Amino acid sequence: MAFQCQRDCYMQEFVTSVVACSPGEMKQEINGKKETVKGFNVKLQDTILFPEGGGQPDDHGLIGDVPVLRVTRLGAEAVHFVSSALEVGQEVQLKVDWERRFDHMQQHSGQHLITAIAESMFGYKTTSWELGRQRSTIELDTPSMKPVQIEALEAAVNEKIRAHVPVAVQVLSLDDPALEKVRSRGLPDDAAGPIRIIDIEGIDVNMCCGTHVSNLSHLQVIKLLGTEKGKKNKTNLLFLVGNRVLKYAEKSYSTERSLVSLLKTGPDDHVDTVDKIQKTVKGLQKSNLGLLRDMAVLIAQNFKCNPERGNFFTLHKKEGDNEFMSIIANEIGTEETLVFLTVGEEKGPGLFLLAGPSGKVSELGPRVLEMLQGKGAGKNGRFQGKVNSMARRGEVETLIQEHCKNEQ
């Protein structure tokens, strides 16, 4: 069965009726976590909302005033997941989220075009593809692509867009001999009914269930962003089509203007300016590390020169690292002295080091870790790690001081 969205990809509203409605649930990402959402699975007599398939995500839209959260294919039927129950037999009006739909049409038809031209120009076959939220990827059966090949491929696909090449939909039966000449990566196991073919005139004939533009001119433009190393000697080609290219250009220009304001230089000088800044920062960081090391030695010497020093030393410093704390502990000497050091935000995350006699450190280390909500380990008289919160640092100091007094 072909859905109305496949017969007319440009239809944005449609009247149909509810044939089934049953309780259901789906996994949905909420605030970065996947949670189970309860609702209803609705089947309609026909639909303009495309169910996910062929590498293309599903459509969003409305059934009446009820948002459709997901559309999936079950055999020859589309299942719409909604939050509210709908009455069986009820006549309803569908409305597709056109911005999302047309974006998917552009990216999907663009993929067909890029795939066909990449194979005809270089012999690189497409093994898979992904329609991403911001950019899409075609996996090509080649270990690499040269920059000159990417440039030539981009020029070739955009030339076809400017040529206003028609894109037609054909429907063939499973036993039609014409299917043997159609490019395909195979049918789903539960595929039913006639086979849908996307024919880009004179360029490509491909088996596909997705929604597509009716003319390559509707793609507007294709931008090949470059390649990334794929799996098993394959190459991932990154691309944008149509409105995504315009949004990318707008975002890039906005970023460029912000950099002009920050760097006080023109766009052509940004790379050199940032390179100089990075080198300067690295130099300052190196100098800062040297100062911190010198400071660590002085802090330790100051403690050792104090005639009234006890058998416990503690220090918290916002700036510092593990090496800073280790230098202090080494300079003081921890055979008889218990040293508790922390670096980081006063009530935020940071690092800690507890050093001293092995018995004391082994006993106190796990308790310090628990109080500071951290992760770490210890051996040979040292216990160190990362902590989530320094809020109870004062309590830890008191605990260690009391332990030292009880040992005297």
Side-chain angles (χ1 to χ4, degrees):
M1 172 183 177
F3 304 116
Q4 183 63 28
C5 58
Q6 296 169 312
R7 291 190 293 271
D8 183 355
C9 300
Y10 288 82
M11 183 174 284
Q12 300 181 40
E13 295 188 18
F14 181 65
V15 176
T16 185
S17 58
V18 178
V19 297
C21 180
S22 60
E25 58 183 36
M26 63 170 274
K27 294 285 186 181
Q28 188 176 34
E29 191 171 299
I30 301 175
N31 296 327
K33 294 182 179 179
K34 283 197 172 183
E35 298 184 11
T36 299
V37 177
K38 294 187 180 298
F40 297 87
N41 291 320
V42 174
K43 296 178 183 178
L44 304 171
Q45 188 174 22
D46 202 347
T47 185
I48 57 167
L49 300 183
F50 176 75
E52 57 190 2
Q56 179 176 325
D58 58 343
D59 282 335
H60 290 173
L62 298 171
I63 302 179
D65 58 357
V66 179
V68 177
L69 304 179
R70 182 164 297 165
V71 190
T72 53
R73 187 178 62 83
L74 186 62
E77 296 180 306
V79 180
H80 309 69
F81 184 85
V82 296
S83 58
S84 306
L86 296 172
E87 184 181 344
V88 174
Q90 175 185 357
E91 189 175 85
V92 292
Q93 180 164 356
L94 302 187
K95 187 173 183 179
V96 68
D97 179 339
W98 179 245
E99 183 178 356
R100 176 182 171 91
R101 156 68 72 75
F102 189 60
D103 172 58
H104 290 175
M105 289 165 62
Q106 287 187 319
Q107 308 315 308
H108 202 161
S109 296
Q111 176 266 313
H112 279 224
L113 177 59
I114 297 168
T115 287
I117 301 299
E119 186 170 348
S120 66
M121 288 181 69
F122 310 116
Y124 300 157
K125 292 184 179 295
T126 291
T127 49
S128 68
W129 87 289
E130 179 186 9
L131 200 167
R133 292 183 180 180
Q134 294 183 334
R135 64 186 188 182
S136 298
T137 307
I138 295 174
E139 184 185 73
L140 295 173
D141 193 12
T142 178
S144 64
M145 280 189 78
K146 297 177 181 178
V148 65
Q149 290 178 307
I150 298 173
E151 185 178 344
L153 178 58
E154 181 177 281
V157 295
N158 281 296
E159 182 181 349
K160 298 299 182 184
I161 291 173
R162 291 190 295 271
H164 292 252
V165 177
V167 180
V169 177
Q170 302 177 36
V171 179
L172 304 178
S173 61
L174 283 169
D175 58 355
D176 194 317
L179 283 178
E180 296 179 8
K181 300 179 181 179
V182 173
R183 182 170 59 84
S184 172
R185 294 197 301 272
L187 290 168
D189 294 335
D190 61 347
I195 305 302
R196 187 165 174 268
I197 307 299
I198 305 302
D199 184 353
I200 305 177
E201 189 178 284
I203 298 173
D204 185 50
V205 181
N206 183 30
M207 196 180 298
C208 184
C209 65
T211 55
H212 290 271
V213 298
S214 60
N215 192 290
L216 290 187
S217 63
H218 296 182
L219 298 182
Q220 299 169 280
V221 64
I222 289 177
K223 178 61 187 173
L224 303 183
L225 298 174
T227 60
E228 293 178 350
K229 185 177 177 59
K231 57 186 179 181
K232 297 179 181 178
N233 292 320
K234 291 182 171 57
T235 295
N236 294 329
L237 178 64
L238 312 178
F239 70 95
L240 304 171
V241 184
N243 290 332
R244 291 194 182 193
V245 179
L246 301 179
K247 290 179 180 178
Y248 183 79
E250 182 181 356
K251 184 177 180 181
S252 297
Y253 182 72
S254 177
T255 301
E256 179 183 286
R257 299 315 301 164
S258 296
L259 288 172
V260 167
S261 177
L262 288 169
L263 301 176
K264 310 301 181 187
T265 61
D268 293 341
D269 298 322
H270 285 171
V271 173
D272 288 340
T273 302
V274 171
D275 183 56
K276 291 177 183 177
I277 291 173
Q278 286 182 327
K279 288 177 180 177
T280 301
V281 169
K282 285 180 181 179
L284 291 172
Q285 287 175 334
K286 188 174 181 180
S287 299
N288 187 47
L289 285 173
L291 291 172
L292 279 172
R293 294 188 186 102
D294 293 343
M295 184 185 296
V297 173
L298 290 173
I299 288 171
Q301 289 177 349
N302 185 56
F303 172 76
K304 290 168 68 176
C305 292
N306 184 359
E308 297 181 2
R309 71 177 184 273
N311 59 352
F312 173 56
F313 176 80
T314 181
L315 175 75
H316 172 78
K317 190 166 182 61
K318 184 177 180 179
E319 303 82 9
D321 55 14
N322 282 318
E323 184 181 4
F324 173 75
M325 295 188 292
S326 292
I327 291 173
I328 293 176
N330 291 338
E331 288 292 324
I332 288 177
T334 56
E335 293 79 6
E336 297 180 359
T337 304
L338 201 56
V339 177
F340 175 56
L341 306 170
T342 56
V343 294
E345 299 295 331
E346 288 190 9
K347 294 187 179 181
L351 306 170
F352 82 94
L353 169 65
L354 179 66
S358 296
K360 293 180 180 180
V361 171
S362 298
E363 181 182 348
L364 291 169
R367 296 176 68 184
V368 172
L369 202 63
E370 180 183 358
M371 292 174 73
L372 297 181
Q373 303 172 29
K375 291 182 180 180
K379 63 177 181 179
N380 301 327
R382 296 212 171 190
F383 203 106
Q384 63 188 96
K386 295 181 179 181
V387 301
N388 292 325
S389 173
M390 294 285 185
R392 298 183 66 187
R393 188 187 184 285
E395 296 178 44
V396 173
E397 280 192 17
T398 301
L399 171 70
I400 298 173
Q401 286 173 336
E402 290 178 352
H403 185 88
C404 291
K405 289 179 182 178
N406 293 334
E407 290 289 317
Q408 292 177 350

